[in-house]
Structure formats: structure tokens, C-alpha cells
Amino acid sequence: MHPLRQTRVGMVRMFLNGGELDEITAFRRELHRQPELSGEEVGTARMVTEALRASQPDTVVTGLGGQGVAAIYQGASDGPTVMVRAELDALPIHEISTLPHRSEIDGKGHLCGHDGHTATLMALARALSHKRPRRGRAILLFQPAEENGAGAAAVLADPKFETLRPDFVFSLHNFPGLPLGHAALTEGPVNCASRGMRIVLSGKTAHASCPEDGIAPTFAMAHLLGELTGLGVGGPLNAEFTLVTVTHARLGEPAFGISPGHAEIWATLRTLTDERMGDLVQSAEGLVRQHAVAAGLTASISYEDIFHQCSNAPAAVSALRQALGEEGISHDEGPTTLPMKASEDFGLFGRVAPSAMFFLGAGENHPRLHNPDYDFPDALIEVGGRAFLRTIRNLLG
Ligand SMILES: [Zn+2]
Ligand SMILES: [Zn+2]
């Protein structure tokens, strides 16, 4: 039987009624029409805060690590705090879909499904408003700026986070390529560490007829393009996994009369573990220094989009596994799809509490994440919501 159909049988009523699910689906599509980039999610945060009103959280915290929002549902007695996290941001990619709810903003699109993850938490909010947890607290965290790796760190660094301190943190990401509604879950690493390395080489321009009068970064750049790439060519996703992808390079100006005095190289460094990333950073910086010194150039290096490794804690995985099983949501723990080579800033929550993320199939032939024709499958709102609600009920009653 198709996994999604299997999971729906007799379950829908226990979660939300059809009218409520329709309302939340409409909310998802409204988010989809108005995508905002990392750190700019002002309108999205406002829409979330307004939509939460219908679900009457006990407390709503706004402005968390930027545009983050947290909704707290309080139990009647003391107990643990269970946090579930979704992301608010969209991508600087032009959406090409012809759907009625396609992006209304040129060059921006919800093409990673964060609109759907947010709607899933909104469905969870509605279910929690019908029946609050018996003990402890359930916190729904709408995190900003996931796509550039800044949001989780900013939320954790916000003094307001102290009052939200969780005992468990859960999240999901939709996963095109897996059957619709089928979940993948594993202990240990689920996403890679990565960071953008920006190298600027500065020398001295000269007349193109007399390059010897200047200091051109041409040879240093040519060496670095090859040697940086050679530091890591991928391979099996184990502790040694190392991949360097040069994503952008620029030399001098588009002119025939000038010997260049400036070059810039952007490269994405990727490893499975933070430890291996430390080694890779040292090797890459060593190469840059070596070629800069040899050519008499000055080199500056900066990093952006820093993602740490994302690993699932066994205790949190076992809570999710139990909930998926009880909800009849088909799942597997095979190593075929996990870990993912992509990065995810959810890993940082693992530093404050046992945390786990599961992956929910968006369909085997669904457009891939960040593709211009991607759209979140609305059917997953209910599946993800039920998985999280069951996890919360099992932990908090
Ligand atoms: Zn993404
Ligand atoms: Zn994403």
C-alpha cells in the first residue's frame, strides 16, 4: 500500500479536523506567495504570530535571534520542555512553477519547503490548543535564517533563549527522492558540516604591456583553483569525508589593458565532522598562505555560511522512532539516504539538549530541494504534525 494512504487511515480525526487542515494548508500557501530571505523574515514572523492567535499559546516570544518566534504550551504540572523547530526563511532563487500560490516576489522562492515545515508546526499548535500537555512545556520554535547557517546560532545566543531551555529538540526536513510520507531516521550524523571560504588576493595592477611592473595574482589563483579542489574530492560519507567545491572566482577587471592586481576565490568546504573540518580549514589556509607568499601577494580569508555537523542523539531518535511507529508512519533507518551531504544548522541544538531530525519523503520523483520548480507537498503537514504530536504526548502526556 502507498505509505501515505497507509498512514492516513483512521488517524486524521485524532489530529485535526478537515476544516482546520484546510485552513493551515491555506496558511502554507500564503507563506509560499511571500518568501523572505534569511534574516529578513519580518513579514513571515508577523504572519506566524498572527496565525498563532487562533491556537492560543500560553506565551509567545518574538524577536528571537532576529525574527524568530516561539510559542509555549504549558502543562498543568512541572516536567521536561520539548521543543520542535521549523524554519522561516526562503531562498534567492526564482520560482518557475505555474501554481496559483507561486511566489509573488521575483527572484525569491520557498524552494526548500520551510513554508511547509512552518505550517506543520502551526498544525501542531492547533492540536496542542485542543489539549495542552499534561506536564512540562511544549515549545514550537520558528527559527529564522537557516539557509545561511546564522539562525540557530543567533537563537541560541539570544538571552531570551534561557527561558526556553529545552530537554529535547526535534525537527523534520522534507526529502524529495523518498516516497511521499515515508520517513527516514538514524542515530549519529545526518548532515554535513560546511562553510564558505572567501579568499581575496591583493597585488598591484600594471599596464598589460609591462606585467613585470605589477604583482599579478594570476598564477597563485590558477594553482589554488586546482589545489583547493584537490584537498577533498568527496567519497564515502564517513569521518574522513572531505569535499571542496570552488563556487566562484574572479581575476582583475574585464579589460585588455590592465595586468590584474586582485583576485577572489570562493570555495565551499564540506566534511561530515567538525573535527575533520578543523583539519581541512588548516590545510586550505596553508595553501593560500604558501601561494600568496611565493607571489608577493597579501591574502585575506573570511568565512560565511558556517554550518556545524548535525548529529542525532540516540535518546531523541528513540522518542521519534516510537512516535512514528505508533502513528503507523512507515520509516526506515537504512544508511541509503542518510547522512545527507547538505548542511543544516539544526545541529547546534544538539549542544543544549538531546536532539534529532527526521526526514519525510516528498515523493520519489518530486523536484529536488532548491530546484526552481520545487513546492512543498501539503499532505506532509498532517503526517509531520502527527509524528510530533505523538512524540510530545509520549514525553509530556
Ligand atoms: Zn535549503
Ligand atoms: Zn531546508
Side-chain angles (χ1 to χ4, degrees), residues 87 112-114 117 146-147 173 344 369-370:
E87 323 87 318
C112 202
H114 296 179
H117 303 161
E146 190 283 325
E147 293 289 357
H173 208 293
E344 166 59 65
L369 301 175
H370 296 205

Side-chain angles (χ1 to χ4, degrees), residues 56-120:
Q56 301 174 311
D58 295 300
T59 313
V60 174
V61 180
T62 56
L64 196 58
Q67 305 304 328
V69 177
I72 304 174
Y73 290 87
Q74 193 79 46
S77 57
D78 284 351
T81 295
V82 177
M83 179 176 277
V84 185
R85 168 275 207 176
E87 323 87 318
L88 295 173
D89 54 339
L91 288 157
I93 303 172
H94 187 74
E95 184 177 14
I96 60 167
S97 123
T98 52
L99 295 163
H101 58 272
R102 68 183 172 274
S103 170
E104 291 174 2
I105 301 172
D106 274 356
K108 298 181 189 177
H110 262 297
L111 303 174
C112 202
H114 296 179
D115 51 342
H117 303 161
T118 295
T120 302

Side-chain angles (χ1 to χ4, degrees), residues 243-283:
L243 179 64
V244 178
T245 310
V246 172
T247 60
H248 173 72
R250 191 168 75 90
L251 175 68
E253 300 305 324
F256 290 108
I258 308 167
S259 171
H262 177 275
E264 196 164 325
I265 302 170
W266 295 20
T268 302
L269 315 185
R270 194 175 300 277
T271 60
L272 189 61
T273 67
D274 287 338
E275 196 182 355
R276 181 80 192 97
M277 178 60 79
D279 297 341
L280 177 58
V281 163
Q282 275 200 343
S283 308

Side-chain angles (χ1 to χ4, degrees), residues 179-310:
L180 186 68
H182 177 81
L185 178 71
T186 190
E187 290 180 7
V190 287
N191 281 99
C192 283
S194 72
R195 58 175 59 199
M197 181 186 203
R198 192 171 181 159
I199 303 155
V200 175
L201 300 171
S202 303
K204 198 170 128 192
T205 57
H207 196 284
S209 65
C210 307
E212 67 276 13
D213 291 344
I215 305 170
T218 314
F219 286 110
M221 178 176 180
H223 279 293
L224 284 171
L225 291 177
E227 290 174 26
L228 285 171
T229 304
L231 284 177
V233 291
L237 271 168
N238 55 31
E240 300 305 311
F241 175 79
T242 309
L243 179 64
V244 178
T245 310
V246 172
T247 60
H248 173 72
R250 191 168 75 90
L251 175 68
E253 300 305 324
F256 290 108
I258 308 167
S259 171
H262 177 275
E264 196 164 325
I265 302 170
W266 295 20
T268 302
L269 315 185
R270 194 175 300 277
T271 60
L272 189 61
T273 67
D274 287 338
E275 196 182 355
R276 181 80 192 97
M277 178 60 79
D279 297 341
L280 177 58
V281 163
Q282 275 200 343
S283 308
E285 291 187 358
L287 280 178
V288 174
R289 270 197 303 273
Q290 175 199 327
H291 286 291
V293 167
L297 300 157
T298 50
S300 75
I301 297 170
S302 57
Y303 295 98
E304 291 168 40
D305 293 14
I306 298 172
F307 291 87
H308 296 275
Q309 67 181 38
C310 184

